[in-house]
Amino acid sequence: MPDPLLSAAASGVTEPDPVDRLILDEAAELGVVDVPLAVVGDATGALAVAAAERFDLDTVRTFHDAVSEERASDDAVRASFRSLKAVRFGLEPALFDGARLVLLRLPKSLAELDEIARLVAAHAHPEVRIVAGGRIKHMSRGMNETLERSFESVTASLGRQKSRVLHASAPKAELRGAASAYPIVQSSDELGFSIASHGGAFAGPRLDLGTRELLGALRDLPADELPEAGLAVDLGCGTGVLAVALARLRPELEVIASDRSWAAVSSARETVRIAGVEDRVEVRREDAGSSIETGSVDVLLLNPPFHDRHEVVEDMAHPLFEQAARMLKPGASMLTVFNSGLAHRAALERIVGPSTQISRGAKFTVVLSRRRG
């Protein structure tokens, strides 16, 4: 019988990596082949497609945090050699309802892992098995401890090709049917409103240092640099702190908070709702503000990411700079905060327009850029 993983690769689907292969091999040994099967954190679609072939399934439930991962998964499903339906869910009870097997690429965030584990324990079949894999260098004892808060049994596989799997089973009785603890909501006296956060949202329900620096610069801007009305964008909005703060500072502005992450957008919507600015802040889940009209934005705020999963990527923010330049009106302003060790000011000068340093500390720099006419 041909190897389904090799068949998948030959058909044009992204080839499963060593973590995917170990997850599938460990799952196959459990003998749990009943549907529904949920696949979480599969960035390329390779795991979902290979799992469908390995277990002879026509339908797989999937969750992807990033819009780009959803597109990659769609491409993988279309390129697969079988009739496969990938049913997409948010990180919600329906994803795991009655599931007996959950295949999981371990997330970087322990809070995200906790949210996933609690949902599985509350809503999956009582005999559900989680098979969660990752690269050994990115795994920690904290992952075991996080799973142990929701499951009676958590064990680790032997390592293979620098990868390892954690098995979790026997959901804790007190969590069965329990309401989700997420998003977590935390009041901020400094901000004057509360921050809501799902597990995978950057910085959680706290004000991160970069956002604090940008907010300080925003409040100190001369009046002519920050319009009273018009369209503003919080690009890569995270939990929505900047969008809410801007809406409160300039009540006549229409604000769009945009992010590619499900966790970020779901958090931002709740932050906006609690702050009572739903009528002035629209939250959109999209890649790099793709739905925002060219040349339509009067002011833009950006606290860009610089980590791609576990790696620091110098030019990771450049696509966001390019999209900002596209959507800004000629002469419109953009405030960007970034790690002081990154050469982003030069990139902003090149991509957006004339850029002036507003503040610089040991950790973060804030730059004001004007879109070229």
Side-chain angles (χ1 to χ4, degrees):
M1 181 177 180
D3 184 338
L5 300 180
L6 295 178
S7 299
S11 71
V13 177
T14 302
E15 185 176 0
D17 67 9
V19 176
D20 292 337
R21 290 177 177 273
L22 184 57
I23 288 173
L24 289 165
D25 288 347
E26 292 279 326
E29 291 182 6
L30 299 176
V32 180
V33 296
D34 293 338
V35 291
L37 169 72
V39 180
V40 179
D42 174 20
T44 66
L47 178 58
V49 170
E53 175 64 16
R54 174 70 70 94
F55 303 121
D56 193 25
L57 302 175
D58 293 323
T59 302
V60 175
R61 297 177 184 176
T62 63
F63 167 73
H64 308 276
D65 183 66
V67 171
S68 56
E69 293 175 356
E70 289 183 350
R71 289 199 301 268
S73 179
D74 288 344
D75 290 343
V77 169
R78 281 193 294 268
S80 66
F81 52 92
R82 63 183 295 116
S83 176
L84 173 61
K85 182 180 181 182
V87 183
R88 186 181 299 157
F89 290 86
L91 195 55
E92 57 189 323
L95 172 63
F96 303 114
D97 185 29
R100 289 177 175 269
L101 181 61
V102 176
L103 306 184
L104 169 65
R105 292 290 302 237
L106 284 162
K108 178 181 177 181
S109 163
L110 292 181
E112 183 176 1
L113 180 59
D114 182 62
E115 183 171 11
I116 293 167
R118 287 175 178 272
L119 282 168
V120 176
H123 301 286
H125 192 278
E127 296 178 1
V128 66
R129 304 294 294 267
I130 294 181
V131 185
R135 302 289 283 175
I136 292 174
K137 66 180 180 179
H138 297 147
M139 295 174 70
S140 68
R141 175 62 193 170
M143 292 177 173
N144 301 60
E145 294 168 352
T146 298
L147 289 171
E148 286 166 357
R149 289 200 290 269
S150 296
F151 293 88
E152 299 291 352
S153 174
V154 177
T155 60
S157 73
L158 296 175
R160 190 180 80 189
Q161 291 183 284
K162 301 180 181 180
S163 306
R164 179 165 288 153
V165 158
L166 300 179
H167 290 271
S169 60
K172 291 195 171 180
E174 63 268 25
L175 292 180
R176 297 296 300 161
S180 177
Y182 292 85
I184 295 170
V185 178
Q186 185 170 300
S187 177
S188 170
D189 293 336
E190 181 177 354
L191 291 171
F193 58 86
S194 296
I195 304 172
S197 176
H198 282 272
F202 173 72
R206 297 172 298 280
L207 177 61
D208 69 278
L209 296 177
T211 297
R212 179 181 283 116
E213 289 288 334
L214 195 149
L215 283 173
L218 180 66
R219 296 186 184 109
D220 293 339
L221 275 183
D224 60 347
E225 295 284 2
L226 186 59
E228 291 288 340
L231 178 61
V233 170
D234 177 4
L235 187 58
C237 66
T239 55
V241 169
L242 289 173
V244 170
L246 185 56
R248 289 160 64 98
L249 188 63
R250 290 287 190 269
E252 298 302 315
L253 278 175
E254 174 191 351
V255 182
I256 295 174
S258 173
D259 205 295
R260 68 176 186 171
S261 161
W262 181 94
V265 165
S266 298
S267 302
R269 286 188 176 130
E270 186 64 7
T271 299
V272 167
R273 186 193 69 79
I274 295 170
V277 292
E278 288 176 291
D279 58 331
R280 290 183 285 120
V281 180
E282 179 187 357
V283 184
R284 299 181 183 178
R285 183 170 179 248
E286 59 192 358
D287 201 1
S290 58
S291 74
I292 299 170
E293 186 178 345
T294 297
S296 65
V297 176
D298 296 281
V299 62
L300 187 144
L301 307 181
L302 176 60
N303 181 2
F306 57 92
H307 281 94
D308 186 2
R309 295 182 183 271
H310 299 276
E311 308 299 330
V312 175
V313 181
E314 176 79 22
D315 60 356
M316 186 177 179
H318 290 191
L320 292 174
F321 297 165
E322 291 164 359
Q323 287 300 309
R326 175 191 65 78
M327 65 182 74
L328 284 166
K329 293 178 179 178
S333 299
M334 170 181 175
L335 269 180
T336 307
V337 63
F338 52 87
N339 188 293
S340 293
L342 300 175
H344 281 351
R345 182 179 173 184
L348 287 164
E349 286 268 3
R350 183 179 73 255
I351 297 170
V352 180
S355 299
T356 303
Q357 180 175 295
I358 301 297
S359 66
R360 181 181 178 88
K363 291 186 176 181
F364 293 100
T365 295
V366 178
V367 166
L368 174 66
S369 305
R370 282 192 173 276
R371 178 72 173 95
R372 289 188 183 88

